[in-house]
Amino acid sequence: MTLHFETPLMESRALSALGDQSVWLKLDALQPCGSFKIRGIGHACAVHQSRGAQRFVSSSGGNAGLAVAYAGRRLGMPVVVVVPETTTARAKELLRLEGAEVVVHGSSWQEANQFAQTLLGATDAFVHPFDDPLLWHGHATLIDEVAHARFKPDAVVLSVGGGGLLSGVVEGLQRNRWHDVPVLAVETEGAASFHAALAAGHPVELPCISSVATSLGAKRVCEQALHCAREHPVHSLVVSDYSALAACERFLADHRILVEPACGAALSVAYDRHPALAGYSKILVIVCGGATATIDQIRTWAAQAGRA
Ligand SMILES: *Cc1c(COP(=O)(O)O)cnc(C)c1O
């Protein structure tokens, strides 16, 4: 069973009109639960179920947890999501709406995650938010759909948190023999763990996350993200929170879709006509989406970031 949708691929006239290149959007904000995560997580959950798992456990209060909750509901499996006390009421509400049991434990994600590990019994499957080949395999369907539509971009722009989306997109590019299509991998300042890993040559742990793009807030990227950068042309870009937030606002006005700052980061590269786009004529932006931010929150953050 496939739990994700095939999403629209369309040109953004608003974005193309800003410059010399045509800008195309892969609208994964329209997936169930509002982000691309269901591609990989849906695949991983279906495989775990076929191998006999009887419950799914997650420690993400964000889009990964939501995707696990949705997959569990669709597959008829119970789901437990352990989240820290800092998780917003809205996120807990969305998880419960998908039928998941929400357990609040600890003051940080690390503590919630440790507690989640202690809950794991022999027939439980722990679903990691980004570091799992099953996830990358599922995320790669995003590029399969683009190839199937016979649209070959000159470059793909996407956001990087823990590197699961990057790993899946590179797998998709490689399995469609698009070795010559580079990836522009975007993070926000204060969440740039991929940028730091590339500089060091190995994954490094950021001391803290200081960006509002919480879905990009993995302190350390997976090894596979670095492996991708060795096997495929991948360029790292870092943008400000303010640029990401401004892109969310403009994207809402242009396309009537609200996305998280995590996704605004990738969109900002097209809105701000980032110098890294020079030389490409057809750009594909992965609109990864995100369900955890409201427009009020985005405007409050933007006002704060604008003053800083
Ligand atoms: C998870 C997520 C990301 C980052 O994906 P990784 O696989 O962790 O790199 C970006 N944007 C949104 C909306 C997400 O939910």
Side-chain angles (χ1 to χ4, degrees):
M1 171 153 59
T2 300
L3 299 177
H4 65 267
F5 298 146
E6 181 170 339
T7 53
L9 169 69
M10 58 175 265
E11 186 183 5
S12 169
R13 291 301 301 155
L15 277 164
S16 293
L18 294 176
D20 308 327
Q21 46 274 114
S22 64
V23 179
W24 289 67
L25 308 172
K26 185 65 175 154
L27 288 175
D28 262 45
L30 303 181
Q31 290 289 356
C33 313
S35 84
F36 74 95
K37 288 237 170 47
I38 188 60
R39 289 185 185 268
I41 287 177
H43 175 65
C45 287
V47 170
H48 289 311
Q49 186 182 42
S50 74
R51 291 177 184 164
Q54 281 166 25
R55 187 173 72 154
F56 302 140
V57 179
S58 165
S59 56
S60 158
N63 297 306
L66 277 173
V68 177
Y70 175 82
R73 183 168 64 75
R74 291 285 313 277
L75 295 168
M77 298 266 281
V79 174
V80 183
V81 183
V82 185
V83 299
E85 285 144 14
T86 50
T87 307
T88 61
R90 174 182 159 81
K92 285 182 274 193
E93 183 62 38
L94 288 172
L95 287 165
R96 291 196 183 105
L97 201 58
E98 290 295 350
E101 181 190 339
V102 179
V103 176
V104 179
H105 186 96
S107 58
S108 68
W109 175 80
Q110 277 77 7
E111 286 171 38
N113 184 52
Q114 270 166 22
F115 185 69
Q117 306 303 321
T118 68
L119 298 180
L120 291 177
T123 55
D124 290 329
F126 179 73
V127 185
H128 197 278
F130 56 83
D131 194 2
D132 178 352
L134 290 174
L135 250 69
W136 311 330
H137 207 63
H139 293 337
T141 57
L142 204 152
I143 297 300
D144 294 339
E145 288 172 19
V146 178
H148 195 240
R150 298 185 182 284
F151 172 78
K152 185 177 177 186
D154 296 334
V156 177
V157 181
L158 52 73
S159 302
V160 178
L165 177 60
L166 171 66
S167 301
V169 163
V170 168
E171 179 174 330
L173 291 170
Q174 303 241 341
R175 80 185 180 199
N176 286 284
R177 295 194 180 75
W178 284 354
H179 301 278
D180 56 335
V181 178
V183 176
L184 308 185
V186 191
E187 296 171 292
T188 48
E189 290 160 9
S193 46
F194 180 58
H195 195 80
L198 282 179
H202 55 87
V204 289
E205 179 142 334
L206 299 181
C208 66
I209 299 296
S210 58
S211 168
V212 298
T214 48
S215 293
L216 305 186
K219 284 188 180 172
R220 176 197 293 264
V221 290
C222 59
E223 282 282 351
Q224 181 68 10
L226 274 188
H227 181 74
C228 288
R230 289 187 204 108
E231 300 287 304
H232 196 89
V234 178
H235 309 290
S236 163
L237 309 180
V238 180
V239 302
S240 68
D241 272 0
Y242 187 77
S243 297
L245 290 160
C248 291
E249 186 75 58
R250 290 177 77 177
F251 191 68
L252 179 63
D254 287 339
H255 291 284
R256 305 160 305 280
I257 298 174
L258 180 66
V259 297
E260 287 181 16
C263 176
L267 289 166
S268 78
V269 168
Y271 274 115
D272 297 344
R273 301 186 58 197
H274 195 287
L277 297 181
Y280 305 120
S281 58
K282 272 184 298 177
I283 309 290
L284 176 67
V285 181
I286 309 292
V287 185
C288 52
T292 71
T294 61
I295 188 64
D296 290 343
Q297 179 70 79
I298 285 169
R299 286 178 181 158
T300 304
W301 279 327
Q304 288 161 355
R307 272 197 302 274

